[in-house]
Short mmCIF file of all heavy atoms in Angstrom, two decimals:
data_model
loop_
_atom_site.label_atom_id
_atom_site.label_comp_id
_atom_site.label_asym_id
_atom_site.label_seq_id
_atom_site.Cartn_x
_atom_site.Cartn_y
_atom_site.Cartn_z
N MET A 1 -15.08 24.69 5.00
CA MET A 1 -13.92 24.66 5.87
C MET A 1 -12.96 23.54 5.48
O MET A 1 -11.77 23.67 5.68
CB MET A 1 -14.35 24.50 7.33
CG MET A 1 -14.84 25.80 7.96
SD MET A 1 -13.69 27.17 7.88
CE MET A 1 -12.34 26.63 8.87
N LEU A 2 -13.49 22.45 4.94
CA LEU A 2 -12.59 21.38 4.51
C LEU A 2 -11.70 21.84 3.35
O LEU A 2 -10.55 21.41 3.24
CB LEU A 2 -13.38 20.13 4.12
CG LEU A 2 -14.01 19.39 5.29
CD1 LEU A 2 -14.87 18.23 4.78
CD2 LEU A 2 -12.96 18.88 6.26
N LEU A 3 -12.22 22.73 2.50
CA LEU A 3 -11.41 23.26 1.41
C LEU A 3 -10.31 24.18 1.96
O LEU A 3 -9.19 24.18 1.46
CB LEU A 3 -12.28 24.01 0.41
CG LEU A 3 -13.25 23.14 -0.39
CD1 LEU A 3 -14.12 24.01 -1.27
CD2 LEU A 3 -12.52 22.12 -1.21
N VAL A 4 -10.62 24.94 2.99
CA VAL A 4 -9.61 25.78 3.64
C VAL A 4 -8.53 24.89 4.26
O VAL A 4 -7.34 25.16 4.15
CB VAL A 4 -10.25 26.70 4.70
CG1 VAL A 4 -9.19 27.42 5.52
CG2 VAL A 4 -11.19 27.68 4.04
N LEU A 5 -8.95 23.82 4.90
CA LEU A 5 -8.01 22.87 5.48
C LEU A 5 -7.12 22.28 4.40
O LEU A 5 -5.90 22.20 4.57
CB LEU A 5 -8.76 21.74 6.21
CG LEU A 5 -7.92 20.58 6.70
CD1 LEU A 5 -6.92 21.03 7.75
CD2 LEU A 5 -8.82 19.49 7.27
N ALA A 6 -7.69 21.89 3.28
CA ALA A 6 -6.91 21.31 2.18
C ALA A 6 -5.91 22.33 1.63
O ALA A 6 -4.79 21.97 1.27
CB ALA A 6 -7.84 20.83 1.08
N ASP A 7 -6.30 23.59 1.59
CA ASP A 7 -5.40 24.64 1.08
C ASP A 7 -4.23 24.87 2.02
O ASP A 7 -3.15 25.24 1.59
CB ASP A 7 -6.19 25.93 0.88
CG ASP A 7 -5.37 26.98 0.18
OD1 ASP A 7 -4.69 26.65 -0.83
OD2 ASP A 7 -5.40 28.14 0.62
N ASN A 8 -4.44 24.65 3.31
CA ASN A 8 -3.39 24.85 4.33
C ASN A 8 -2.82 23.52 4.81
O ASN A 8 -2.34 23.43 5.95
CB ASN A 8 -3.96 25.64 5.51
CG ASN A 8 -4.40 27.02 5.10
OD1 ASN A 8 -3.66 27.75 4.48
ND2 ASN A 8 -5.64 27.36 5.42
N TYR A 9 -2.84 22.53 3.96
CA TYR A 9 -2.42 21.16 4.28
C TYR A 9 -1.00 21.11 4.82
O TYR A 9 -0.09 21.72 4.28
CB TYR A 9 -2.53 20.33 3.00
CG TYR A 9 -1.87 18.98 3.07
CD1 TYR A 9 -2.57 17.90 3.57
CD2 TYR A 9 -0.58 18.80 2.65
CE1 TYR A 9 -1.98 16.65 3.63
CE2 TYR A 9 0.02 17.56 2.70
CZ TYR A 9 -0.69 16.48 3.20
OH TYR A 9 -0.10 15.27 3.27
N ARG A 10 -0.82 20.39 5.92
CA ARG A 10 0.50 20.08 6.46
C ARG A 10 0.51 18.61 6.86
O ARG A 10 -0.36 18.15 7.61
CB ARG A 10 0.84 20.94 7.66
CG ARG A 10 1.16 22.37 7.27
CD ARG A 10 1.63 23.15 8.44
NE ARG A 10 0.54 23.19 9.43
CZ ARG A 10 0.53 23.97 10.47
NH1 ARG A 10 1.51 24.77 10.70
NH2 ARG A 10 -0.48 23.96 11.30
N GLU A 11 1.46 17.86 6.36
CA GLU A 11 1.56 16.43 6.62
C GLU A 11 1.57 16.14 8.12
O GLU A 11 2.31 16.76 8.88
CB GLU A 11 2.84 15.88 5.99
CG GLU A 11 3.03 14.40 6.15
CD GLU A 11 2.12 13.57 5.26
OE1 GLU A 11 1.72 14.05 4.19
OE2 GLU A 11 1.83 12.43 5.64
N GLY A 12 0.71 15.23 8.57
CA GLY A 12 0.66 14.81 9.95
C GLY A 12 -0.14 15.70 10.88
O GLY A 12 -0.33 15.37 12.04
N GLN A 13 -0.61 16.84 10.41
CA GLN A 13 -1.38 17.76 11.25
C GLN A 13 -2.72 17.13 11.61
O GLN A 13 -3.35 16.49 10.79
CB GLN A 13 -1.61 19.08 10.51
CG GLN A 13 -2.33 20.13 11.31
CD GLN A 13 -1.48 20.69 12.45
OE1 GLN A 13 -0.27 20.81 12.32
NE2 GLN A 13 -2.11 20.99 13.55
N GLU A 14 -3.15 17.29 12.84
CA GLU A 14 -4.44 16.75 13.30
C GLU A 14 -5.35 17.88 13.75
O GLU A 14 -4.89 18.88 14.31
CB GLU A 14 -4.22 15.79 14.47
CG GLU A 14 -3.47 14.54 14.08
CD GLU A 14 -3.32 13.58 15.26
OE1 GLU A 14 -3.66 13.94 16.40
OE2 GLU A 14 -2.87 12.45 15.02
N TYR A 15 -6.65 17.72 13.48
CA TYR A 15 -7.64 18.73 13.83
C TYR A 15 -8.79 18.06 14.58
O TYR A 15 -9.45 17.17 14.04
CB TYR A 15 -8.18 19.43 12.59
CG TYR A 15 -7.11 20.15 11.82
CD1 TYR A 15 -6.41 19.52 10.80
CD2 TYR A 15 -6.78 21.46 12.13
CE1 TYR A 15 -5.43 20.19 10.09
CE2 TYR A 15 -5.78 22.14 11.43
CZ TYR A 15 -5.11 21.48 10.41
OH TYR A 15 -4.13 22.15 9.73
N LEU A 16 -9.04 18.48 15.80
CA LEU A 16 -10.14 17.98 16.60
C LEU A 16 -11.44 18.59 16.09
O LEU A 16 -11.54 19.80 15.91
CB LEU A 16 -9.93 18.36 18.07
CG LEU A 16 -11.02 17.97 19.05
CD1 LEU A 16 -11.10 16.45 19.18
CD2 LEU A 16 -10.74 18.59 20.40
N VAL A 17 -12.45 17.77 15.82
CA VAL A 17 -13.75 18.25 15.36
C VAL A 17 -14.55 18.69 16.58
O VAL A 17 -14.61 17.98 17.59
CB VAL A 17 -14.50 17.16 14.57
CG1 VAL A 17 -15.86 17.66 14.13
CG2 VAL A 17 -13.68 16.72 13.37
N ALA A 18 -15.17 19.86 16.49
CA ALA A 18 -15.88 20.46 17.62
C ALA A 18 -17.16 19.71 17.98
O ALA A 18 -17.85 19.19 17.11
CB ALA A 18 -16.22 21.91 17.31
N HIS A 19 -17.46 19.68 19.26
CA HIS A 19 -18.74 19.18 19.78
C HIS A 19 -19.66 20.38 20.02
O HIS A 19 -19.19 21.45 20.42
CB HIS A 19 -18.54 18.44 21.11
CG HIS A 19 -18.11 17.02 20.94
ND1 HIS A 19 -16.83 16.68 20.61
CD2 HIS A 19 -18.81 15.87 21.07
CE1 HIS A 19 -16.75 15.36 20.54
NE2 HIS A 19 -17.92 14.84 20.80
N ALA A 20 -20.93 20.21 19.80
CA ALA A 20 -21.90 21.30 19.94
C ALA A 20 -21.97 21.83 21.37
O ALA A 20 -22.22 23.00 21.58
CB ALA A 20 -23.28 20.84 19.49
N ASP A 21 -21.72 20.98 22.35
CA ASP A 21 -21.87 21.40 23.75
C ASP A 21 -20.57 21.89 24.40
O ASP A 21 -20.56 22.25 25.55
CB ASP A 21 -22.46 20.26 24.58
CG ASP A 21 -21.54 19.05 24.63
OD1 ASP A 21 -20.74 18.86 23.69
OD2 ASP A 21 -21.63 18.28 25.60
N ARG A 22 -19.48 21.92 23.65
CA ARG A 22 -18.19 22.35 24.21
C ARG A 22 -17.71 23.59 23.47
O ARG A 22 -17.27 23.51 22.33
CB ARG A 22 -17.16 21.23 24.09
CG ARG A 22 -17.55 20.01 24.86
CD ARG A 22 -16.49 18.96 24.76
NE ARG A 22 -17.06 17.69 25.19
CZ ARG A 22 -16.65 16.53 24.76
NH1 ARG A 22 -15.69 16.44 23.88
NH2 ARG A 22 -17.22 15.44 25.20
N GLN A 23 -17.77 24.70 24.12
CA GLN A 23 -17.41 25.97 23.51
C GLN A 23 -15.89 26.10 23.40
O GLN A 23 -15.17 25.80 24.34
CB GLN A 23 -17.97 27.11 24.34
CG GLN A 23 -17.93 28.44 23.65
CD GLN A 23 -18.65 29.50 24.47
OE1 GLN A 23 -18.81 29.36 25.67
NE2 GLN A 23 -19.08 30.54 23.81
N TYR A 24 -15.42 26.53 22.25
CA TYR A 24 -14.00 26.81 21.99
C TYR A 24 -13.11 25.57 22.07
O TYR A 24 -11.94 25.68 22.37
CB TYR A 24 -13.46 27.89 22.93
CG TYR A 24 -14.26 29.15 22.90
CD1 TYR A 24 -14.94 29.58 24.03
CD2 TYR A 24 -14.36 29.91 21.75
CE1 TYR A 24 -15.70 30.74 24.01
CE2 TYR A 24 -15.11 31.06 21.72
CZ TYR A 24 -15.77 31.47 22.84
OH TYR A 24 -16.51 32.62 22.82
N GLU A 25 -13.65 24.41 21.83
CA GLU A 25 -12.83 23.19 21.83
C GLU A 25 -12.99 22.49 20.49
O GLU A 25 -14.02 21.93 20.20
CB GLU A 25 -13.26 22.25 22.96
CG GLU A 25 -12.39 21.03 23.07
CD GLU A 25 -12.83 20.13 24.22
OE1 GLU A 25 -13.23 20.64 25.26
OE2 GLU A 25 -12.79 18.91 24.03
N GLY A 26 -11.98 22.55 19.67
CA GLY A 26 -12.02 21.90 18.37
C GLY A 26 -12.39 22.85 17.25
O GLY A 26 -12.68 24.02 17.46
N TYR A 27 -12.33 22.33 16.03
CA TYR A 27 -12.59 23.10 14.83
C TYR A 27 -13.97 22.78 14.28
O TYR A 27 -14.39 21.63 14.27
CB TYR A 27 -11.54 22.78 13.75
CG TYR A 27 -10.16 23.24 14.11
CD1 TYR A 27 -9.30 22.42 14.82
CD2 TYR A 27 -9.72 24.50 13.75
CE1 TYR A 27 -8.02 22.84 15.15
CE2 TYR A 27 -8.45 24.94 14.08
CZ TYR A 27 -7.61 24.11 14.78
OH TYR A 27 -6.36 24.53 15.11
N ASN A 28 -14.66 23.81 13.80
CA ASN A 28 -15.96 23.63 13.18
C ASN A 28 -15.76 23.54 11.68
O ASN A 28 -15.47 24.52 11.02
CB ASN A 28 -16.88 24.81 13.52
CG ASN A 28 -18.24 24.68 12.89
OD1 ASN A 28 -18.48 23.80 12.07
ND2 ASN A 28 -19.13 25.56 13.25
N PHE A 29 -15.86 22.35 11.12
CA PHE A 29 -15.71 22.13 9.69
C PHE A 29 -17.04 22.12 8.97
O PHE A 29 -17.18 21.56 7.90
CB PHE A 29 -14.98 20.81 9.44
CG PHE A 29 -13.55 20.83 9.89
CD1 PHE A 29 -13.16 20.12 11.01
CD2 PHE A 29 -12.60 21.56 9.20
CE1 PHE A 29 -11.85 20.13 11.42
CE2 PHE A 29 -11.28 21.58 9.61
CZ PHE A 29 -10.90 20.86 10.73
N GLY A 30 -18.06 22.72 9.57
CA GLY A 30 -19.40 22.66 9.01
C GLY A 30 -20.15 21.46 9.55
O GLY A 30 -21.28 21.20 9.19
N VAL A 31 -19.49 20.72 10.43
CA VAL A 31 -20.09 19.55 11.08
C VAL A 31 -19.85 19.71 12.57
O VAL A 31 -18.72 19.91 13.00
CB VAL A 31 -19.41 18.24 10.62
CG1 VAL A 31 -19.95 17.06 11.38
CG2 VAL A 31 -19.58 18.05 9.12
N LEU A 32 -20.91 19.66 13.35
CA LEU A 32 -20.77 19.70 14.80
C LEU A 32 -21.22 18.36 15.37
O LEU A 32 -22.27 17.85 14.99
CB LEU A 32 -21.62 20.82 15.41
CG LEU A 32 -21.13 22.23 15.17
CD1 LEU A 32 -22.12 23.24 15.72
CD2 LEU A 32 -19.77 22.45 15.81
N LEU A 33 -20.44 17.81 16.23
CA LEU A 33 -20.80 16.55 16.87
C LEU A 33 -21.75 16.82 18.03
O LEU A 33 -21.64 17.85 18.69
CB LEU A 33 -19.54 15.84 17.36
CG LEU A 33 -18.48 15.57 16.28
CD1 LEU A 33 -17.23 14.99 16.92
CD2 LEU A 33 -19.02 14.65 15.21
N VAL A 34 -22.67 15.92 18.28
CA VAL A 34 -23.59 16.08 19.40
C VAL A 34 -22.94 15.62 20.69
O VAL A 34 -21.87 15.04 20.69
CB VAL A 34 -24.92 15.31 19.14
CG1 VAL A 34 -25.65 15.90 17.95
CG2 VAL A 34 -24.69 13.84 18.96
N GLN A 35 -23.62 15.85 21.78
CA GLN A 35 -23.08 15.56 23.11
C GLN A 35 -22.62 14.11 23.25
O GLN A 35 -21.60 13.84 23.87
CB GLN A 35 -24.15 15.87 24.15
CG GLN A 35 -23.74 15.64 25.56
CD GLN A 35 -24.83 16.04 26.54
OE1 GLN A 35 -25.76 16.74 26.17
NE2 GLN A 35 -24.72 15.59 27.76
N ASP A 36 -23.36 13.16 22.68
CA ASP A 36 -23.04 11.74 22.84
C ASP A 36 -22.03 11.21 21.82
O ASP A 36 -21.68 10.04 21.86
CB ASP A 36 -24.32 10.91 22.75
CG ASP A 36 -25.31 11.24 23.85
OD1 ASP A 36 -24.89 11.75 24.90
OD2 ASP A 36 -26.52 11.01 23.65
N SER A 37 -21.57 12.05 20.90
CA SER A 37 -20.63 11.62 19.87
C SER A 37 -19.26 11.34 20.46
O SER A 37 -18.82 12.00 21.40
CB SER A 37 -20.49 12.68 18.79
OG SER A 37 -21.69 12.91 18.12
N VAL A 38 -18.57 10.38 19.89
CA VAL A 38 -17.19 10.12 20.29
C VAL A 38 -16.31 11.20 19.71
O VAL A 38 -16.68 11.90 18.76
CB VAL A 38 -16.72 8.73 19.81
CG1 VAL A 38 -17.52 7.63 20.46
CG2 VAL A 38 -16.77 8.61 18.31
N GLN A 39 -15.12 11.35 20.25
CA GLN A 39 -14.18 12.34 19.76
C GLN A 39 -13.76 11.98 18.34
O GLN A 39 -13.46 10.82 18.04
CB GLN A 39 -12.96 12.39 20.66
CG GLN A 39 -11.95 13.43 20.27
CD GLN A 39 -10.77 13.44 21.22
OE1 GLN A 39 -10.49 12.47 21.90
NE2 GLN A 39 -10.07 14.55 21.25
N ALA A 40 -13.72 12.96 17.46
CA ALA A 40 -13.31 12.74 16.07
C ALA A 40 -12.16 13.68 15.74
O ALA A 40 -12.17 14.85 16.10
CB ALA A 40 -14.48 13.00 15.13
N ILE A 41 -11.16 13.14 15.07
CA ILE A 41 -9.99 13.91 14.67
C ILE A 41 -9.77 13.72 13.18
O ILE A 41 -9.80 12.59 12.68
CB ILE A 41 -8.73 13.45 15.44
CG1 ILE A 41 -8.91 13.70 16.93
CG2 ILE A 41 -7.49 14.15 14.92
CD1 ILE A 41 -7.79 13.14 17.79
N ILE A 42 -9.57 14.83 12.47
CA ILE A 42 -9.23 14.78 11.06
C ILE A 42 -7.72 14.91 10.97
O ILE A 42 -7.13 15.85 11.53
CB ILE A 42 -9.92 15.90 10.27
CG1 ILE A 42 -11.43 15.69 10.31
CG2 ILE A 42 -9.41 15.96 8.84
CD1 ILE A 42 -12.23 16.79 9.65
N LYS A 43 -7.07 13.97 10.28
CA LYS A 43 -5.62 13.98 10.18
C LYS A 43 -5.22 14.05 8.71
O LYS A 43 -5.78 13.35 7.88
CB LYS A 43 -5.01 12.73 10.81
CG LYS A 43 -3.50 12.72 10.78
CD LYS A 43 -2.93 11.54 11.52
CE LYS A 43 -1.41 11.58 11.48
NZ LYS A 43 -0.81 10.48 12.18
N CYS A 44 -4.25 14.90 8.41
CA CYS A 44 -3.79 15.08 7.04
C CYS A 44 -2.66 14.11 6.72
O CYS A 44 -1.64 14.10 7.42
CB CYS A 44 -3.29 16.51 6.85
SG CYS A 44 -4.57 17.74 7.08
N THR A 45 -2.86 13.30 5.68
CA THR A 45 -1.81 12.41 5.20
C THR A 45 -1.80 12.45 3.68
O THR A 45 -2.81 12.71 3.04
CB THR A 45 -2.02 10.96 5.66
OG1 THR A 45 -3.28 10.49 5.20
CG2 THR A 45 -1.95 10.82 7.16
N ASP A 46 -0.67 12.17 3.10
CA ASP A 46 -0.53 12.16 1.65
C ASP A 46 -1.00 10.81 1.13
O ASP A 46 -0.46 9.77 1.49
CB ASP A 46 0.93 12.40 1.27
CG ASP A 46 1.14 12.49 -0.23
OD1 ASP A 46 0.14 12.46 -0.98
OD2 ASP A 46 2.30 12.60 -0.64
N LEU A 47 -2.01 10.84 0.27
CA LEU A 47 -2.55 9.60 -0.29
C LEU A 47 -2.01 9.30 -1.69
O LEU A 47 -2.45 8.36 -2.33
CB LEU A 47 -4.08 9.69 -0.35
CG LEU A 47 -4.78 9.84 0.99
CD1 LEU A 47 -6.28 10.02 0.79
CD2 LEU A 47 -4.49 8.66 1.89
N GLY A 48 -1.05 10.08 -2.14
CA GLY A 48 -0.49 9.87 -3.47
C GLY A 48 -1.30 10.58 -4.53
O GLY A 48 -2.04 11.52 -4.25
N ILE A 49 -1.17 10.13 -5.76
CA ILE A 49 -1.90 10.72 -6.87
C ILE A 49 -2.92 9.73 -7.41
O ILE A 49 -2.87 8.54 -7.09
CB ILE A 49 -0.94 11.17 -7.99
CG1 ILE A 49 -0.14 9.98 -8.52
CG2 ILE A 49 -0.01 12.27 -7.50
CD1 ILE A 49 0.73 10.31 -9.72
N SER A 50 -3.84 10.20 -8.22
CA SER A 50 -4.91 9.33 -8.72
C SER A 50 -4.36 8.16 -9.53
O SER A 50 -4.93 7.08 -9.52
CB SER A 50 -5.89 10.14 -9.56
OG SER A 50 -5.24 10.80 -10.61
N TYR A 51 -3.24 8.35 -10.21
CA TYR A 51 -2.63 7.27 -11.00
C TYR A 51 -2.23 6.08 -10.12
O TYR A 51 -2.22 4.95 -10.57
CB TYR A 51 -1.42 7.80 -11.76
CG TYR A 51 -0.80 6.80 -12.72
CD1 TYR A 51 -1.39 6.54 -13.94
CD2 TYR A 51 0.34 6.10 -12.37
CE1 TYR A 51 -0.84 5.62 -14.82
CE2 TYR A 51 0.91 5.18 -13.23
CZ TYR A 51 0.31 4.94 -14.46
OH TYR A 51 0.85 4.01 -15.31
N ASP A 52 -1.91 6.34 -8.85
CA ASP A 52 -1.56 5.26 -7.93
C ASP A 52 -2.73 4.30 -7.72
O ASP A 52 -2.54 3.13 -7.41
CB ASP A 52 -1.14 5.83 -6.57
CG ASP A 52 0.14 6.65 -6.65
OD1 ASP A 52 0.91 6.45 -7.60
OD2 ASP A 52 0.35 7.48 -5.75
N TYR A 53 -3.95 4.80 -7.87
CA TYR A 53 -5.14 4.00 -7.62
C TYR A 53 -5.74 3.42 -8.90
O TYR A 53 -6.36 2.37 -8.86
CB TYR A 53 -6.19 4.86 -6.91
CG TYR A 53 -5.72 5.35 -5.56
CD1 TYR A 53 -5.12 6.59 -5.43
CD2 TYR A 53 -5.83 4.55 -4.44
CE1 TYR A 53 -4.66 7.03 -4.20
CE2 TYR A 53 -5.38 4.98 -3.21
CZ TYR A 53 -4.78 6.22 -3.10
OH TYR A 53 -4.32 6.64 -1.89
N ASP A 54 -5.58 4.14 -10.01
CA ASP A 54 -6.14 3.68 -11.28
C ASP A 54 -5.22 4.15 -12.41
O ASP A 54 -5.24 5.32 -12.79
CB ASP A 54 -7.54 4.24 -11.48
CG ASP A 54 -8.25 3.63 -12.67
OD1 ASP A 54 -7.60 2.94 -13.48
OD2 ASP A 54 -9.46 3.86 -12.81
N PRO A 55 -4.41 3.23 -12.96
CA PRO A 55 -3.43 3.62 -13.99
C PRO A 55 -4.08 4.10 -15.30
O PRO A 55 -3.39 4.62 -16.16
CB PRO A 55 -2.61 2.37 -14.22
CG PRO A 55 -3.38 1.26 -13.63
CD PRO A 55 -4.30 1.84 -12.61
N ARG A 56 -5.38 3.95 -15.44
CA ARG A 56 -6.06 4.41 -16.66
C ARG A 56 -6.25 5.92 -16.66
O ARG A 56 -6.63 6.49 -17.67
CB ARG A 56 -7.43 3.74 -16.81
CG ARG A 56 -7.32 2.22 -16.97
CD ARG A 56 -8.69 1.60 -16.96
NE ARG A 56 -9.25 1.79 -15.61
CZ ARG A 56 -10.52 1.62 -15.30
NH1 ARG A 56 -11.38 1.26 -16.22
NH2 ARG A 56 -10.94 1.81 -14.07
N ILE A 57 -6.00 6.58 -15.54
CA ILE A 57 -6.23 8.02 -15.44
C ILE A 57 -5.07 8.76 -16.06
O ILE A 57 -3.95 8.49 -15.82
CB ILE A 57 -6.44 8.44 -13.97
CG1 ILE A 57 -7.71 7.80 -13.46
CG2 ILE A 57 -6.47 9.94 -13.81
CD1 ILE A 57 -8.01 8.04 -12.01
#
């Protein structure tokens, strides 16, 4: 699901990660949070290109 998210990338878009005990609330990215987990949000931002981090690439 993370690859599908990357393919449909939109700058600034946020995705709530689903909890196992809450039906139809959030996205299932292959990871389900347990009842005691804090809320997790995946947010899309542009991190630049690999050359920005290592000019040897």
Side-chain angles (χ1 to χ4, degrees):
M1 281 305 295
L2 289 175
L3 293 176
V4 171
L5 172 63
D7 188 45
N8 297 308
Y9 168 86
R10 286 186 298 192
E11 182 74 27
Q13 183 70 34
E14 294 182 351
Y15 299 91
L16 178 66
V17 179
H19 278 76
D21 63 333
R22 298 182 196 152
Q23 193 173 22
Y24 306 116
E25 184 179 323
Y27 293 90
N28 180 351
F29 293 108
V31 175
L32 288 175
L33 303 175
V34 296
Q35 181 177 344
D36 298 336
S37 297
V38 296
Q39 183 179 22
I41 297 174
I42 295 176
K43 183 174 181 180
C44 297
T45 58
D46 184 5
L47 298 176
I49 60 174
S50 56
Y51 186 77
D52 295 338
Y53 298 93
D54 189 348
R56 298 173 293 166
I57 295 176

